[in-house]
Amino acid sequence: MLDRKAHCRAATLLLALFAVQDHAADDDAIRVQGGKRDYDERQYDTADKLVIRHDELLRDGDTELTDALKRLPGITVGSAGEVSLRGLASGYTQVQVNGDRMPQGFSLDSLPPDMVDHVEITRTARADSTGQAIAGTINIVLKRRARTAQRALTATMTGAEGLAQPSLGMHLSDRKAAWSWTLDGSAGYKDVQHHIEEIDVGSDAQRTPILLRVRQTIDPIQTGSLSLAPTLQMTPSDLGTIGVESFLKADHIASNLSTVSRTPLGQDDLHGYDVQRNRHNLLVTRTDLSWAPPMNNDGKLELKLALNTAQRNTVFREQGDDYMGTPNLDTVVFSHAAEQGLAWSGKYTLAPLGDHTMAAGWYASISHRAETRDEYARGFPGIAPIDTADIYQSQMHSYALYWQDAWQASERLSLYGGLRWEWLQTHSTGDTFATVDEAISTPCPTLQGVWKLSDTGRDQIRLALARSYNAPAIAKLVPRVYTSTNNSAVEPDFQGNPQLRPEIGFGPDIAYEAFPADGVSLSVGAYARRIENYVRQDISQINRRWLIQPINAGDAHTHGVEMDFKLPVRLLLPTQASWVLSGNVTRNWSRVDQVPGPANRIARQTPWSGSLAADYTATSGRYAAGASYSYTAGGLVRTSPTLFADSARRDELSLYGLWKPKQGMQLKLSASNLLHQRWVDVAGYMDATGTLSATRIEPSHMALRIALDLAY
């Protein structure tokens, strides 16, 4: 019944979208308004790319970029802030900032949308970008070039669960004949309190209950953040174009977690009361130097040198008592990590050769990471003291060469082909494990094509076939053991696997895209991927402690369908006000060959996701309002022959209203997470001896926000 209703809604939407073709202008040229080219990359580029502009990211008044991303086509955001395309995170989705990978420890949920110029979504790997994109790439492009002289200030106050979260953002820019500069900045404070209930249930082989344990956790977290992004661009007549772009982000996070455990049935926890205090400081910097020198021919050369650094300092203390209130745990950990990286890249675009536009490029980078970890633990009866000082170092070299050709084969057919070859080398050393060396060399060919179905170019078929990969992170390669406080089959220790091989993805994409009128779009597509060397988790028990490791386990397969649309209501109904409907839906299926079914899907892949939004703008332009609804499905998944996971569906509803009392001033009120559903996640283990499951329940809270924007 649900599928039949969904098909009816889809058919109704298609009829509505094609009805607006009667309102479309015959002119299929690119519109020019106010001196700006209204260019839609999705409609006019051969290589797949969907671009979301700055204004659309700010539409709902979000203060965290992840909140804005989850409303975009095909993107889902998990409870831990991980961002995914086609329901696949964990390295399958490549998330970049200004075209380069994010530094380790950098989090998108602390990046304000105000500092973002646009977001690029590509679902098929391209030759001029990394091939580590089995599910696709999300590129966050920060504000770069000043278009006009401007001064802007945004003050925001958010309230959730009675806690205040103020933030302040600014934008300064100026432009002269031969140079321009911008300075974007933001500062914020966030105070949240997590209330978590965890229920452990165990049974034996006869399904007789043998364990019932309940943990109540309170975790107040205070976060202070500061971000700055200055840019400078110069165009001296004899040197071409020179650009300097920098980014600095500093975070201070304080957490004071406390857990109380009680066990009505079964063996008690080692620690009936547990307190964890964590102080975390992170500083990330990045500077890009770009140069486009003047050329004697019609070719174009682009060079870029990038330097990035990251510093992390953490102080962690954990104390625990047994059920009688006797202390049995007191551990202090001091850790420091420093990362430096240097990257050099270039791209040379040849002068057009007939209907061909060819380009070649390279990428080379080196990064070094050093980490120290000092742990001190008191001894207790039956528990030995700990006094360790560990040093870990890793170095990564990355190289790539690529070539691509965009060919306008006819007025209706355009093709894009490219080959990218990537080499990765990692070298890791440490006090507690043997040296680990890993080398990867892989080709990433891609072929894409667009066939215009009419002379107007307003509807088209897009096809693509590409090979991509997912290289294991260093943490998954290094055989360093990360221990858990309450070790069990559902809360095991973790150790990397030096024998891990990269996953290889290969498969096609197909989509029908229509642009029947300006501001109207429809895309209906499908995809399929075969993933070789699929990485899953393997669990075992060593010396009475449970340990989990990543292993390569044959092949996995995933496929899905996706649809998104945008429709101004004025093209269907006689109204002067601007009403715009937009939405998207994605359905994903997957299968892992070496995991028995049912529910042998790729771990943590979202099966269903979608969103629907309605936005209103008054004819005067002084008032605007809107609402958006997003849905993310959960469901059971078997992640290995003995491990399983489950999660509940997630519904979110948001509202906003905007008022512009005068030029250069606007006031925005918004409410998010109006349904304030609970996050429910289950982790489980089952074998011939019985079953153990841990259910984690965390309520969410509605947030109210008021923002004042001033610009002059």
Side-chain angles (χ1 to χ4, degrees):
M1 179 64 70
L2 179 61
D3 289 341
R4 185 177 301 172
K5 290 181 179 179
H7 293 159
C8 292
R9 294 191 190 102
T12 303
L13 175 63
L14 289 172
L15 290 174
L17 285 164
F18 287 117
V20 305
Q21 288 186 343
D22 294 335
H23 299 265
D26 294 333
D27 183 12
D28 63 336
I30 301 174
R31 290 189 297 126
V32 178
Q33 290 184 341
K36 295 182 180 179
R37 296 173 64 83
D38 194 12
Y39 187 80
D40 187 343
E41 289 83 355
R42 194 182 207 179
Q43 181 176 359
Y44 298 108
D45 286 0
T46 305
D48 168 56
K49 181 188 291 186
L50 173 63
V51 177
I52 310 298
R53 308 294 180 188
H54 176 75
D55 291 344
E56 190 168 350
L57 294 173
L58 297 181
R59 183 185 61 195
D60 288 73
D62 301 308
T63 58
E64 296 181 359
L65 183 59
T66 49
D67 289 333
L69 290 177
K70 65 188 177 186
R71 299 184 181 91
L72 303 185
I75 295 181
T76 54
V77 179
S79 58
E82 66 275 13
V83 179
S84 64
L85 280 170
R86 292 168 170 171
L88 291 172
S90 303
Y92 296 113
T93 297
Q94 179 76 265
V95 181
Q96 300 176 333
V97 176
N98 287 345
D100 293 300
R101 72 178 184 92
M102 296 189 302
Q104 188 169 340
F106 183 84
S107 176
L108 284 180
D109 59 8
S110 58
L111 185 65
D114 277 344
M115 299 184 67
V116 178
D117 183 76
H118 63 274
V119 174
E120 300 172 348
I121 302 173
T122 56
R123 295 178 174 88
T124 302
R126 297 163 54 108
D128 57 359
S129 182
T130 177
Q132 295 195 63
I134 292 178
T137 299
I138 302 171
N139 184 27
I140 313 299
V141 181
L142 303 180
K143 290 183 179 179
R144 294 182 174 183
R145 181 177 301 178
R147 297 178 175 88
T148 60
Q150 188 179 28
R151 308 289 185 268
L153 183 69
T154 300
T156 305
M157 178 61 73
T158 303
E161 200 184 2
L163 302 175
Q165 301 171 10
S167 64
L168 188 67
M170 71 169 186
H171 171 75
L172 307 175
S173 64
D174 200 359
R175 184 178 182 87
K176 302 297 182 183
W179 58 272
S180 63
W181 64 270
T182 65
L183 176 60
D184 287 278
S186 69
Y189 174 79
K190 186 176 181 181
D191 190 357
V192 299
Q193 193 166 82
H194 299 280
H195 297 266
I196 304 166
E197 182 180 39
E198 185 175 328
I199 304 173
D200 295 348
V201 177
S203 60
D204 60 17
Q206 287 72 41
R207 297 186 179 182
T208 302
I210 58 174
L211 176 67
L212 175 60
R213 179 183 297 124
V214 179
R215 298 190 186 103
Q216 300 286 346
T217 298
I218 299 177
D219 187 13
I221 302 176
Q222 295 82 37
T223 303
S225 61
L226 173 67
S227 301
L228 292 173
T231 69
L232 174 64
Q233 190 167 59
M234 299 168 288
T235 55
S237 58
D238 55 342
L239 294 177
T241 301
I242 301 173
V244 182
E245 303 168 13
S246 294
F247 177 73
L248 178 148
K249 191 168 194 323
D251 291 322
H252 172 75
I253 303 173
S255 170
N256 296 280
L257 178 148
S258 61
T259 300
V260 177
S261 174
R262 55 186 180 89
T263 308
L265 176 65
Q267 184 177 358
D268 290 339
D269 260 342
L270 180 61
H271 312 296
Y273 180 70
D274 182 81
V275 176
Q276 299 177 13
R277 298 179 180 89
N278 196 344
R279 300 296 181 268
H280 181 90
N281 294 293
L282 177 67
L283 176 64
V284 176
T285 67
R286 181 180 177 88
T287 298
D288 294 346
L289 304 175
S290 60
W291 181 34
M295 307 296 292
N296 294 327
N297 52 35
D298 291 333
K300 182 180 180 181
L301 177 63
E302 301 169 86
L303 302 172
K304 186 170 81 169
L305 185 67
L307 173 66
N308 63 77
T309 66
Q311 300 277 340
R312 175 185 58 79
N313 289 285
T314 301
V315 179
F316 172 81
R317 185 173 188 182
E318 184 174 16
Q319 296 173 291
D321 301 341
D322 63 17
Y323 278 77
M324 301 301 294
T326 304
N328 61 0
L329 175 65
D330 191 352
T331 301
V332 179
V333 178
F334 301 92
S335 65
H336 169 76
E339 181 177 347
Q340 301 86 31
L342 181 66
W344 180 47
S345 60
K347 178 180 181 181
Y348 180 69
T349 304
L350 283 71
L353 300 175
D355 296 321
H356 293 264
T357 302
M358 291 181 284
W362 70 91
Y363 177 86
S365 71
I366 179 173
S367 63
H368 180 268
R369 179 179 174 85
E371 183 176 352
T372 62
R373 185 179 187 276
D374 301 330
E375 181 176 0
Y376 309 94
R378 289 174 52 193
F380 295 94
I383 302 175
I386 298 175
D387 186 353
T388 61
D390 301 324
I391 300 176
Y392 311 98
Q393 295 191 62
S394 61
Q395 195 168 40
M396 175 181 289
H397 296 258
S398 177
Y399 309 97
L401 294 173
Y402 69 87
W403 168 88
Q404 63 184 23
D405 180 15
W407 177 30
Q408 190 66 45
S410 69
E411 290 187 0
R412 293 193 179 187
L413 177 63
S414 58
L415 299 172
Y416 169 88
L419 174 63
R420 184 183 182 94
W421 206 298
E422 296 194 10
W423 298 265
L424 296 177
Q425 296 177 343
T426 60
H427 175 77
S428 302
T429 60
D431 296 340
T432 59
F433 58 86
T435 298
V436 176
D437 290 300
E438 177 78 4
I440 298 173
S441 174
T442 181
C444 300
T446 180
L447 178 63
Q448 303 185 42
V450 173
W451 173 259
K452 305 287 186 181
L453 298 178
S454 63
D455 293 335
T456 63
R458 289 188 176 272
D459 54 346
Q460 59 194 28
I461 297 292
R462 183 181 295 276
L463 292 169
L465 184 65
R467 185 180 191 267
S468 52
Y469 73 105
N470 179 22
I474 291 179
K476 291 185 177 181
L477 292 171
V478 173
R480 171 183 172 186
V481 178
Y482 296 84
T483 59
S484 64
T485 300
N486 296 299
N487 184 268
S488 68
V490 294
E491 197 175 337
D493 299 339
F494 174 84
Q495 184 178 32
N497 179 6
Q499 306 302 318
L500 212 57
R501 302 187 305 276
E503 298 171 289
I504 305 297
F506 181 78
D509 293 78
I510 183 172
Y512 169 77
E513 299 170 344
F515 312 89
D518 293 328
V520 183
S521 65
L522 169 69
S523 176
V524 181
Y527 74 93
R529 295 288 187 275
R530 184 185 74 245
I531 302 176
E532 302 175 5
N533 303 326
Y534 173 72
V535 175
R536 68 166 177 85
Q537 303 296 336
D538 182 63
I539 191 168
S540 59
Q541 196 172 22
I542 302 174
N543 298 327
R544 302 186 65 180
R545 287 190 69 89
W546 291 94
L547 178 72
I548 198 169
Q549 275 189 308
I551 63 170
N552 293 109
D555 293 349
H557 310 266
T558 181
H559 63 280
V561 293
E562 45 202 0
M563 184 272 288
D564 65 85
F565 73 92
K566 181 178 290 187
L567 176 64
V569 178
R570 59 179 170 78
L571 298 177
L572 295 176
L573 301 175
T575 176
Q576 295 297 320
S578 175
W579 278 97
V580 177
L581 299 178
S582 60
N584 64 86
V585 63
T586 301
R587 178 67 168 100
N588 306 298
W589 295 268
S590 60
R591 184 185 79 252
V592 178
D593 290 347
Q594 293 190 12
V595 175
N600 55 338
R601 299 185 287 115
I602 293 177
R604 299 173 65 188
Q605 184 181 27
T606 303
W608 274 99
S609 66
S611 67
L612 182 65
D615 299 282
Y616 164 81
T617 303
T619 54
S620 64
R622 295 182 58 190
Y623 304 97
S628 64
Y629 165 79
S630 63
Y631 168 79
T632 304
L636 179 67
V637 55
R638 294 191 66 176
T639 56
S640 81
T642 56
L643 295 174
F644 64 90
D646 201 351
S647 60
R649 58 179 284 178
R650 181 76 175 173
D651 300 83
E652 295 191 36
L653 178 65
S654 300
L655 303 173
Y656 75 90
L658 182 145
W659 173 45
K660 296 180 180 179
K662 63 178 182 179
Q663 183 70 26
M665 176 186 291
Q666 71 175 29
L667 185 67
K668 178 174 285 188
L669 300 175
S670 60
S672 60
N673 194 25
L674 290 170
L675 304 178
H676 49 86
Q677 292 182 324
R678 301 183 302 173
W679 290 99
V680 181
D681 294 287
V682 180
Y685 174 87
M686 58 182 179
D687 60 14
T689 64
T691 302
L692 175 65
S693 67
T695 302
R696 177 188 171 98
I697 304 170
E698 180 179 359
S700 63
H701 304 279
M702 180 180 66
L704 300 176
R705 184 175 297 116
I706 180 170
L708 176 64
D709 295 337
L710 302 174
Y712 59 94

